[in-house]
C-alpha cells in the first residue's frame, strides 16, 4: 500500500538558479551611455581654461536572457468513499523571469479511478469554475489540447482535479494519479504533483481554504482566511477538528509569514458575533451547532490552542456545510516575488465517535499562497523643485513647488535645471520623462517658450550622464523608484522625504541656448508619467528668467579698468591712439579685447578706414592681427590670427594690430583706422577709432612672415627679403632669430645671408653670426635705398617634439640711418598637428564574474570588447565595460574626467575595475560603489597630452 507524506510538498524547477525578486524580466534591455568632460587651455601656460565641455559615448545595450521556471503545488491526500468524487486543487506558478505557457497532463492514473476531469479555478477558492472541464480522461494522451494562458513572471494558474473512484474500492486503499506541468519555453522543465484518495468506510469531510486577496505588499492586511467545509457523504461526522498553523517562514526562506488578528474569527452558526480566542471558554454557538474555538492563546490548557488556529465542530450531518473565517496580517520584511504558503489540516470521527473507518488522518486542505509584490497598484507621482518634500507641487494648477528658476544665462550658454521625481504611489514604479517645449503643466500653450533652436537633453542626477530608457518603450525614464524600506530609508542614489516616507530621484534638464537669443523669461515643461499607468502624470516648470547679452570692449594698451584708452562703447569721435610710421614700414597698435559679457566668447578681428566696411583700406595699406610674441607689449609678434579664440567671461586677450604703410605713402598722410571685435556666435561687437600718421625718413622691411611644417628631428628652410624702404642708406644692419634652443625646448634657428645673390640658399651663403653686421651687396655693409637682400632661416625641430606642436621664431633686423635706428621683424611659424578629445564605449561578457572578459563568442581578455548587443544570464553573468578617452589633437587637455554609472538591474563588480594612463596605472583614482553597490563610476585622469588616451574599465553584475 502506498503512503503519501502529507507535508505540502512543492516542485520548483529553474534553469541554473532560483529567480530572486530583483531579477529583471526577460527581454529587458540594460542600456548604458557614458560621458567625459574636459577643459581646453586658452594660453600656453594654461593659466586660463575654457568652459568645461562634455562629450557622450555611444550607447551599449545588454539583453536580459529568458530563464524559464515552474512551480506546481502540492502533493495531497483527501478522504473518499467507494464510488465517490474527490477534488484536488493545485496552483501552477511561472517562477521564471519571462512569459511562458505550460502543458498540463494527468498521468499514472490508478485502475481504481474510473474517471477524472481537470477544471480551471479562476478565483483560487479550491472549487471548479463553471463552464465545463478543460480536459478529461477521454483525451487519449491525458493532456489538455491547449497550453495554459500566457503567464507573465510570477503569475499563477489555479486548477482543480476531480477524480471518481470505482465502486469496488474498499477502505484502506489509496488510489492516486499525477498532475504534470511542462514549460513551453524549456520543455526539460517538468513539475509533478501526486494526488491520493484515501478510501474510508465512513463519513467524508471536505475542507477548502481560500484568501480574500492573493497578492499585495509586505506588510499588509488584514487578509481574511476562509475555511469552507462540507459533508458530501451519507454518514454524519463528529468532532471535526480543523487546524491552521500560520506560516512563519516564506517560500524563499525569509523569517516572516502571517500573524493572527485577535478576535477576528466568525462562524456560520454564530453570525457576526466574534468567536472568542480563549482556549478555555468551551463550546460556543447553540446545540446542536456547537464549536470549540481557540487561536494563539499561550495561556490555554490545551497545547494545540497555543500555536495555531483550532476549531472543533461538534457534528456535521450528511449534506451539512459550514464556514469559518478569521483574519491575518502579512509580516514585514518580505521582498517582492516572495510568497507565503499555507495549508490547513483536519481530522474527524464518525457518528460512533471513533476513527476506525479508514486511513489515519489528519488530512490536508488545499494550499493557498500570498504573493508579495512591489509594483504600484495605485500609482502616483509628483514632479517638483524640492529634495525633501514630496507633497509640494502635487497640484499642477498651482505654481507652488512646481517651478525651478534660474536667474540668468549668457547667449549660447548651457543651463541645468534640477528637478525631483517622487514616487508617491503604493508600490515600485518608474516614470517616463518627456519635455514639452510648447505647453504648460495644464496643457495650455506656453506664452513664453524657449527660443527656437534651444537643444534640450535629459540627464541623470550627476548632471552629466544621459538619461536612458530602461523599460524598452523608447522614452527616457527614471528607472525603478522603490518605496522606503522597513527602516524608512531609500537606496543610496535616491532622495528621501523623511516626513512622508517617500523616495524620489533627481532628473536634470540641460538646455543649450542658441547664440543669437536674448530676452526672457523662458519656460519649458517637464512631464513625469507612470509606466504602470501613463494617465498618471505630474509636471514641473523650468524657467530661465533672462538671457544676458554678451558684450565686448576693445581698448588700447591696457585691459578695461574704468579708464583704459577706448573703454566703453565705440567708435569714438576722435582717434584714441595715433601711430607714426614711415613709408614702407610697419607699426603696431597694442589692443585688448575684453569680454565684458556673462560667458566665454570669441571674436573676429577686422580693420577698415571707414565705419565700417571690413577689410576696406587704401591701396598698398594692410593690417594684420597677431598674438603677442611673449613680452606682453607687442614688441614681438606671435602667430597671425583673425579670431581671438575663446575668451572667458571677465577676461581679455592681448592682440597686436600691425599696420603696413605702402612705400608710396607721403609724409604727413593720415589714415583713420577703425578696428572691430565681433563675436561670430552672439554678434556682440565693439569698434574703436585709431589713426596712422605717415612720417618720412629711414625705413626697413623684413618680409614675409612664413608658415611651414616639419617632422620631429628635421628642419625647414624659410626665405625672407630684407629691403631698405626708406629714403636714406642704412648701415650696421644686424639680423637675429629668437628664442634660442636653450629656451625653446630644443627648437633652434640658423640664419644665412645670400652672399652670391642668386636668391637661393646654397653652401656658399654666409652664416650670420649674432652681433655681426650683414655684408650686403658689394660686401660694403651698406643697404642702399631700395636695395633688397635675401636672407634664409633654417628652423630645426627636436626629435622629441610631439605632433601638433606649433613653434614661433622671430627674426629681428635693426639698422642705422640719418641718425635714427630702424627695425622690423618677421615671424616663422612651424607646425606639426591639431586637437580633439573623443570617448568611446565597448562591452564584453564576463560569464563567471571573475573580472576578466571571456565573451561573447570565442575570445579572451581585451579581445572580447564589442559595440554590439549580446545576451547575459541574470544572476549568473556579468558585463564589463571599457571606456576610452583619447586626445586625438595637438595639445594637452586638462581635468579630463570619464563618467559613467551603474544601471537598473545591475550592481558593481569590483573585480573588473581598472584604469590605465600612458604614465601608468590609475586604478586607485577610480571612484565607484562598493562591491554589490550602485551609483556613479568616475575617474579624473587630469592632463591628457596630445595623442594620449586614458582607459577606464569596470564591471556590473546582471541581477
Amino acid at each position: 500500500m502506498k503512503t503519501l507524506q502529507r507535508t505540502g510538498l512543492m516542485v520548483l524547477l529553474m534553469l541554473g538558479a532560483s529567480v530572486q525578486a530583483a531579477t529583471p524580466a526577460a527581454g529587458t534591455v540594460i542600456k548604458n551611455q557614458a560621458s567625459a568632460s574636459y577643459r581646453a587651455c586658452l594660453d600656453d601656460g594654461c593659466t586660463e581654461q575654457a568652459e568645461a565641455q562634455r562629450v557622450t559615448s555611444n550607447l551599449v545595450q545588454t539583453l536580459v536572457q529568458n530563464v524559464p521556471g515552474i512551480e506546481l503545488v502540492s502533493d495531497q491526500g483527501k478522504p473518499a468513499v467507494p464510488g465517490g468524487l474527490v477534488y484536488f486543487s493545485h496552483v501552477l506558478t511561472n517562477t521564471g523571469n519571462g512569459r511562458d505557457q505550460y502543458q498540463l497532463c494527468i498521468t499514472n492514473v490508478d485502475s481504481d479511478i474510473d474517471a477524472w476531469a481537470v477544471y480551471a479555478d479562476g478565483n483560487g477558492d479550491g472549487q471548479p469554475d463553471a463552464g465545463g472541464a478543460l480536459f478529461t480522461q477521454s483525451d487519449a494522451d491525458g493532456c489538455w489540447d491547449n497550453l495554459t494562458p500566457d503567464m507573465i513572471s510570477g503569475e499563477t494558474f489555479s486548477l482543480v482535479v476531480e477524480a471518481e473512484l470505482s465502486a469496488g474500492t474498499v477502505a484502506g486503499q489509496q488510489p492516486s494519479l499525477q498532475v504534470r506541468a511542462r514549460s513551453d519555453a524549456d520543455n526539460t522543465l517538468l513539475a509533478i504533483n501526486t494526488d491520493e484518495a484515501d478510501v474510508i468506510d465512513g463519513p467524508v469531510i471536505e475542507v477548502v481554504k481560500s484568501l480574500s486577496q492573493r497578492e499585495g505588499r509586505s506588510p499588509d492586511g488584514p487578509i481574511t482566511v476562509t475555511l469552507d467545509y462540507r459533508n458530501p457523504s451519507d454518514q454524519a461526522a463528529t468532532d471535526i477538528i480543523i487546524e491552521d498553523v500560520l506560516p512563519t517562514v516564506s517560500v524563499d526562506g525569509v523569517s516572516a509569514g502571517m500573524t493572527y488578528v485577535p478576535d477576528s474569527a466568525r462562524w456560520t452558526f454564530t453570525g457576526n458575533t466574534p468567536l472568542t480566542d480563549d482556549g478555555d471558554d468551551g463550546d460556543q454557538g447553540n446545540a446542536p451547532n456547537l464549536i470549540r474555538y481557540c487561536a494563539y492563546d499561550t495561556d490555554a490548557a490545551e497545547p494545540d490552542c497555543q500555536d495555531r488556529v483550532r476549531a472543533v465542530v461538534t457534528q456535521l450531518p450528511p449534506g451539512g456545510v459550514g464556514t469559518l473565517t478569521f483574519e491575518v496580517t502579512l509580516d514585514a520584511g518580505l521582498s517582492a516575488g516572495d510568497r507565503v504558503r499555507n495549508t490547513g489540516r483536519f481530522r474527524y470521527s464518525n457518528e460512533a465517535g471513533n476513527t476506525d473507518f479508514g486511513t489515519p488522518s489528519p488530512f490536508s486542505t488545499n494550499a493557498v499562497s500570498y504573493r508579495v509584490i512591489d509594483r504600484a497598484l495605485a500609482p502616483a507621482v509628483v514632479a517638483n523643485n524640492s529634495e525633501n518634500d514630496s507633497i509640494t507641487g502635487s497640484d499642477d494648477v498651482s505654481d507652488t513647488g512646481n517651478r525651478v528658476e534660474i536667474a540668468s544665462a549668457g547667449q549660447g550658454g548651457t543651463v541645468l535645471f534640477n528637478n525631483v521625481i517622487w514616487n508617491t504611489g503604493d508600490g515600485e514604479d518608474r516614470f517616463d520623462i518627456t519635455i514639452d517645449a510648447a505647453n504648460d503643466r495644464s496643457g495650455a500653450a506656453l506664452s513664453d517658450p524657449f527660443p527656437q533652436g534651444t537643444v534640450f537633453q535629459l540627464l541623470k542626477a550627476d548632471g552629466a550622464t544621459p538619461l536612458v530608457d530602461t523599460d524598452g518603450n523608447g522614452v527616457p525614464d527614471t528607472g525603478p523608484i522603490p518605496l522606503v524600506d522597513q527602516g524608512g530609508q531609500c537606496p543610496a542614489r535616491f532622495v528621501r522625504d523623511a516626513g512622508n516616507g517617500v523616495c524620489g530621484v533627481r532628473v536634470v534638464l540641460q538646455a543649450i541656448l542658441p547664440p543669437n537669443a536674448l530676452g526672457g523669461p523662458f519656460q519649458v515643461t517637464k512631464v513625469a508619467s507612470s509606466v504602470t499607468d501613463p494617465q498618471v502624470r505630474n509636471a514641473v516648470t523650468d524657467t530661465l528668467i533672462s538671457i544676458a547679452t554678451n558684450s565686448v570692449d576693445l581698448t588700447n594698451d591696457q585691459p578695461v579698468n574704468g579708464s583704459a584708452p577706448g573703454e566703453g562703447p565705440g567708435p569714438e569721435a576722435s582717434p584714441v591712439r595715433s601711430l607714426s610710421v614711415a613709408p614702407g614700414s610697419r607699426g603696431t597698435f597694442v589692443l585688448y579685447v575684453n569680454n565684458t559679457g556673462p560667458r566665454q566668447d570669441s571674436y573676429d578681428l577686422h580693420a577698415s578706414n571707414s565705419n565700417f566696411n571690413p577689410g576696406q583700406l587704401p591701396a598698398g595699406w594692410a593690417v594684420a592681427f597677431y598674438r603677442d610674441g611673449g613680452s606682453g607689449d607687442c614688441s614681438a609678434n606671435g602667430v597671425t590670427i583673425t579670431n581671438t579664440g575663446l575668451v572667458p567671461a571677465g577676461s581679455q586677450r592681448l592682440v597686436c594690430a600691425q599696420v603696413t604703410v605702402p612705400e608710396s605713402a607721403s609724409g604727413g598722410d593720415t589714415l583713420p583706422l577703425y578696428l572691430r571685435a565681433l563675436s561670430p556666435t552672439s554678434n556682440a561687437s565693439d569698434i574703436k577709432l585709431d589713426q596712422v600718421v605717415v612720417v618720412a625718413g629711414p625705413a626697413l622691411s623684413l618680409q614675409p612672415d612664413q608658415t611651414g611644417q616639419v617632422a620631429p628631428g628635421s628642419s625647414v628652410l624659410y626665405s625672407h627679403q630684407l629691403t631698405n624702404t626708406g629714403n636714406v642708406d642704412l648701415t650696421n644692419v644686424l639680423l637675429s632669430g629668437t628664442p634660442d634652443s636653450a629656451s625653446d625646448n630644443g627648437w633652434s634657428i640658423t640664419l644665412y645671408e645670400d652672399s652670391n645673390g642668386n636668391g637661393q640658399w646654397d653652401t656658399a651663403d654666409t652664416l650670420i653670426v649674432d652681433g655681426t653686421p650683414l655684408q650686403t651687396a658689394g660686401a660694403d655693409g651698406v643697404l642702399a635705398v631700395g636695395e633688397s637682400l635675401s636672407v634664409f632661416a633654417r628652423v630645426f625641430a627636436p626629435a622629441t617634439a610631439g605632433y601638433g606642436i606649433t613653434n614661433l621664431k622671430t627674426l629681428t633686423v635693426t639698422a642705422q640711418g640719418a641718425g635714427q635706428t630702424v627695425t622690423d621683424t618677421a615671424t616663422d611659424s612651424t607646425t606639426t598637428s591639431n586637437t580633439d578629445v573623443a570617448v568611446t564605449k565597448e562591452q564584453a561578457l564576463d560569464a563567471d564574474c571573475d573580472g576578466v572578459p571571456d565573451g561573447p563568442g570565442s575570445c579572451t581578455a581585451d579581445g572580447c570588447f564589442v559595440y554590439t548587443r549580446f545576451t547575459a544570464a541574470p544572476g549568473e553573468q556579468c558585463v564589463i565595460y571599457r571606456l576610452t578617452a583619447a586626445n586625438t589633437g595637438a595639445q594637452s587637455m586638462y581635468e579630463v574626467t570619464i563618467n559613467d554609472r551603474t544601471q537598473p538591474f545591475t550592481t558593481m563588480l569590483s573585480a573588473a575595475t581598472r584604469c590605465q594612463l600612458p604614465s601608468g596605472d590609475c586604478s586607485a583614482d577610480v571612484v565607484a560603489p562598493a562591491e554589490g553597490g550602485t551609483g556613479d563610476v568616475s575617474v579624473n585622469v587630469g592632463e591628457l597630452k596630445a595623442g594620449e588616451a586614458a582607459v577606464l574599465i569596470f564591471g556590473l553584475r546582471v541581477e
Side-chain angles (χ1 to χ4, degrees), residues 355-585:
T355 58
D356 296 336
F357 48 82
T359 304
S361 53
F363 303 103
S364 297
T365 70
N366 57 299
V368 294
S369 294
Y370 182 96
R371 180 170 179 262
V372 180
I373 60 173
D374 59 4
R375 69 178 186 275
L377 298 176
V381 61
V382 171
N384 66 15
N385 59 8
S386 174
E387 294 198 358
N388 53 34
D389 184 352
S390 63
I391 303 300
T392 184
S394 58
D395 181 5
D396 275 346
V397 176
S398 171
D399 276 345
T400 303
N402 270 326
R403 288 172 60 91
V404 173
E405 294 185 355
I406 292 180
S408 178
Q411 290 176 259
T414 298
V415 187
L416 297 178
F417 295 98
N418 291 313
N419 308 119
V420 178
I421 311 302
W422 296 97
N423 177 9
T424 56
D426 64 348
E428 180 181 283
D429 203 351
R430 71 186 75 204
F431 302 93
D432 285 338
I433 307 298
T434 54
I435 301 166
D436 192 341
N439 301 298
D440 65 15
R441 299 187 303 272
S442 300
L446 285 169
S447 59
D448 45 12
F450 269 74
Q452 188 74 24
T454 301
V455 177
F456 296 106
Q457 185 177 16
L458 293 167
L459 305 174
K460 295 183 180 180
D462 61 4
T465 308
L467 193 72
V468 297
D469 166 37
T470 67
D471 64 349
N473 68 355
V475 182
D477 60 64
T478 60
I481 302 180
L483 301 182
V484 294
D485 61 20
Q486 300 305 314
Q489 301 299 313
C490 301
R493 78 179 184 92
F494 298 95
V495 296
R496 178 173 66 104
D497 176 354
N500 294 293
V502 174
C503 297
V505 66
R506 186 186 307 111
V507 173
V508 180
L509 175 61
Q510 174 182 268
I512 303 175
L513 304 172
N516 58 349
L518 293 170
F522 303 105
Q523 294 185 341
V524 62
T525 306
K526 183 187 294 180
V527 181
S529 303
S530 166
V531 171
T532 300
D533 182 357
Q535 299 303 312
V536 176
R537 63 185 294 278
N538 195 252
V540 63
T541 301
D542 291 335
T543 303
L544 175 62
I545 301 301
S546 69
I547 298 178
T549 305
N550 287 13
S551 59
V552 61
D553 198 351
L554 193 57
T555 57
N556 285 103
D557 304 331
Q558 53 190 287
V560 292
N561 55 16
S563 60
E567 186 169 339
E572 296 74 13
S574 58
V576 177
R577 284 286 183 263
S578 181
L579 186 66
S580 297
V581 185
S585 296

Side-chain angles (χ1 to χ4, degrees), residues 612-674:
F612 193 91
N613 189 352
Q616 175 182 286
L617 293 170
W621 288 77
V623 176
F625 298 96
Y626 297 86
R627 291 198 183 279
D628 176 66
S631 59
D633 57 4
C634 289
S635 59
N637 291 337
V639 296
T640 306
I641 59 173
T642 58
N643 181 280
T644 59
L646 288 174
V647 182
S651 187
Q652 62 281 323
R653 190 70 69 237
L654 172 60
V655 174
C656 308
Q658 187 179 79
V659 182
T660 300
V661 178
E663 294 181 3
S664 58
S666 301
D669 288 350
T670 61
L671 176 74
L673 188 62
Y674 292 87

